[in-house]
Amino acid sequence: MTWTLVQLWNGGVTTRMPVAERRAQLVEAALSIAAAEGVRAVTVRRVAERAGVALGVVHYCFADKDELLGALATRIVDDLTGAAADAALEPGDGPDLRAALEVAVLGAWALIEKTAGEQLLTYEITTHALRTPGLRGVAERQYAASQAAAERLLGLAAEASGASWQRPLADLAAEALAFVDGVTLRWLADGDGPAARARLSSFAGYLATQAAVPDRPPRRRRKAAP
Amino acid sequence: MTWTLVQLWNGGVTTRMPVAERRAQLVEAALSIAAAEGVRAVTVRRVAERAGVALGVVHYCFADKDELLGALATRIVDDLTGAAADAALEPGDGPDLRAALEVAVLGAWALIEKTAGEQLLTYEITTHALRTPGLRGVAERQYAASQAAAERLLGLAAEASGASWQRPLADLAAEALAFVDGVTLRWLADGDGPAARARLSSFAGYLATQAAVPDRPPRRRRKAAP
DNA sequence: GTCTATAGTTGGATAGAC
DNA sequence: GTCTATCCAACTATAGAC
């Protein structure tokens, strides 16, 4: 057997660790592998190797591989939701709804474009979950989180320009989400960033037609806390 | 070794077959497995078993598993493109562009809704191809075919109602494709057909605002902001 | 040219050591 | 409670028979 770097660092002796901490470490290892090489590359063996622990440790922490992948999916959802929340903190300001929406949508896109591997990974997790009986519910949770983030973003954009949506926010958020999803997937396939941005910009224009801007002056948002 | 049904049918003797025909048979077997259980379930062994041939036959017909999956991807693209072409043959008729678009889009959707397994499979193939160096180009070809089908459908819908698009058809088709892709993926996850149709109907309304009808001015949802 | 039999690798899971 | 050593099932690929 060859020693991993972590084990060598610990003097050749594997450190014992409470199971909760170990699980987090293993999920982290799984994430780094999956983002770089896809879910297919996430094997129990490679996760153990990456984390610097013996093979069986993974099976001690997770009942089976599916449970590990479920934990990985949760981790990703939290990740993206958190990032989206950060993006929602800085929506476009000013009286022009169309401009505010463009800033919001393209801001979200900037985040997506920086994390191509993770984005591709979310699609992989979705399809994998839909094919795996033990992972029922993962895809639903993914969309529930994204939907909430989209609603928050659209709500803030409208608020910033004093506009009000003429249709249920949930419907508009769902449509925006679908569009961004489709644009992202195609971008992953053809790598055409400018085309993707143009499509998103066009969609922002459509969204702007779904709100009414009253004559009273827009309410300006408070600046985000430091 | 256990005999497969096909081998028993042939009297226990495996029939010899020209390689081209064999390849088609194997791709067919791979498709039936993939549509039902996902790409993950497509192994060289199972394809051979499903086709009723020995394991090595697959490796005789295809250099390696990637080549088999590439052939499978091509088969799927042809399949869907052909189906889309059939759908495009019956676009909505009449002077109302919005209605024609709704018929066209919901017609395409009816096709999608009937083939959930195949639809999920296309997303799996896309992500799989994007992660597999040997399958570079598969995802691009997938989108090229879909794009062409979408352009054809939108072109016919406009033609049927005597309208003309005010923006490049390629751009509109790409946007429609992205939207349908996103809606489909979410539908696969949550199974909410009515919600999906409502989103598509809404998008048809947006598309209708992107064309001009010669006899009458294009219908605008709202007055543009000053 | 077509197919069979077999090799060699990698995977998920577990019994039991510490 | 935490981890090690081991098992065996399933996979891809090939050498060579017919």
Side-chain angles (χ1 to χ4, degrees):
Chain A
M1 174 186 185
T2 59
W3 295 105
T4 67
L5 285 178
V6 170
Q7 285 170 332
L8 284 175
W9 182 263
N10 289 331
V13 178
T14 302
T15 50
R16 289 170 70 90
M17 194 182 281
V19 64
E21 194 175 341
R22 191 64 94 189
R23 283 174 69 110
Q25 179 198 7
L26 292 174
V27 168
E28 206 60 29
L31 177 60
S32 80
I33 294 170
E37 302 172 51
V39 268
R40 203 168 35 127
V42 179
T43 68
V44 177
R45 287 185 115 85
R46 284 208 58 194
V47 169
E49 186 189 5
R50 176 69 57 99
V53 303
L55 177 61
V57 173
V58 182
H59 276 104
Y60 170 66
C61 295
F62 299 96
D64 54 13
K65 192 187 168 182
D66 276 349
E67 197 174 294
L68 170 62
L69 287 178
L72 174 60
T74 302
R75 169 66 211 275
I76 303 251
V77 170
D78 292 349
D79 227 31
L80 293 182
T81 308
D86 290 348
L89 287 180
E90 300 183 21
D93 230 347
D96 187 359
L97 176 62
R98 157 80 206 238
L101 284 170
E102 185 133 358
V103 168
V105 171
L106 290 184
W109 175 255
L111 213 74
I112 289 172
E113 208 163 16
K114 265 186 237 153
T115 57
E118 281 84 354
Q119 297 303 321
L120 178 50
L121 182 52
T122 62
Y123 294 104
E124 289 185 274
I125 296 242
T126 301
T127 56
H128 185 88
L130 289 176
R131 289 288 194 193
T132 310
L135 260 45
R136 273 293 138 76
V138 164
E140 281 91 336
R141 290 197 308 108
Q142 244 178 337
Y143 273 107
S146 303
Q147 170 80 26
E151 289 182 13
R152 206 177 318 129
L153 199 60
L154 289 186
L156 285 176
E159 189 187 348
S161 57
S164 60
W165 297 110
Q166 298 292 87
R167 291 174 50 208
L169 182 56
D171 292 358
L172 291 170
E175 291 172 20
L177 199 53
F179 194 79
V180 172
D181 256 9
V183 167
T184 301
L185 193 51
R186 180 160 190 173
W187 169 71
L188 287 170
D190 67 15
D192 192 342
R197 269 188 294 271
R199 283 160 202 157
L200 292 173
S201 173
S202 170
F203 192 79
Y206 160 65
L207 281 177
T209 68
Q210 305 300 302
V213 185
D215 280 339
R216 59 185 160 77
R219 187 157 61 94
R220 291 187 71 85
R221 269 185 85 255
R222 259 189 318 121
K223 206 96 199 272
Chain B
M1 175 186 186
T2 59
W3 296 106
T4 67
L5 286 177
V6 170
Q7 285 171 331
L8 284 174
W9 183 262
N10 288 332
V13 178
T14 301
T15 48
R16 289 172 68 91
M17 193 182 283
V19 63
E21 194 176 340
R22 192 62 97 190
R23 283 174 68 108
Q25 179 197 8
L26 293 173
V27 168
E28 206 60 29
L31 176 60
S32 80
I33 294 170
E37 302 172 50
V39 268
R40 203 170 34 128
V42 178
T43 69
V44 179
R45 285 184 116 83
R46 286 209 56 194
V47 169
E49 186 188 5
R50 175 68 59 99
V53 301
L55 179 61
V57 174
V58 182
H59 279 294
Y60 170 64
C61 295
F62 299 97
D64 54 11
K65 192 186 167 183
D66 275 349
E67 197 175 295
L68 170 62
L69 287 178
L72 174 60
T74 302
R75 168 66 211 275
I76 303 252
V77 169
D78 293 348
D79 227 31
L80 293 182
T81 307
D86 291 347
L89 288 180
E90 301 183 20
D93 228 346
D96 188 359
L97 175 62
R98 159 77 205 240
L101 284 171
E102 185 131 358
V103 168
V105 172
L106 290 184
W109 175 254
L111 213 76
I112 290 172
E113 207 164 16
K114 265 186 237 151
T115 56
E118 281 84 354
Q119 296 304 320
L120 178 50
L121 182 53
T122 61
Y123 294 104
E124 289 185 274
I125 296 246
T126 302
T127 56
H128 185 88
L130 290 175
R131 290 290 194 190
T132 310
L135 260 46
R136 270 296 137 77
V138 165
E140 281 92 336
R141 289 196 308 107
Q142 243 177 340
Y143 273 107
S146 303
Q147 170 81 27
E151 289 182 14
R152 206 177 319 129
L153 199 61
L154 289 186
L156 286 177
E159 189 186 345
S161 58
S164 61
W165 298 111
Q166 297 292 87
R167 292 174 48 207
L169 182 56
D171 292 359
L172 290 170
E175 291 172 21
L177 199 55
F179 194 80
V180 172
D181 255 9
V183 167
T184 301
L185 193 51
R186 180 159 188 172
W187 169 71
L188 288 170
D190 67 15
D192 193 340
R197 270 188 294 271
R199 284 162 201 155
L200 292 173
S201 172
S202 169
F203 192 78
Y206 160 65
L207 281 178
T209 67
Q210 305 299 303
V213 183
D215 297 338
R216 295 172 288 175
R219 296 190 307 159
R220 290 189 181 276
R221 294 188 62 88
R222 298 188 48 78
K223 219 186 251 182

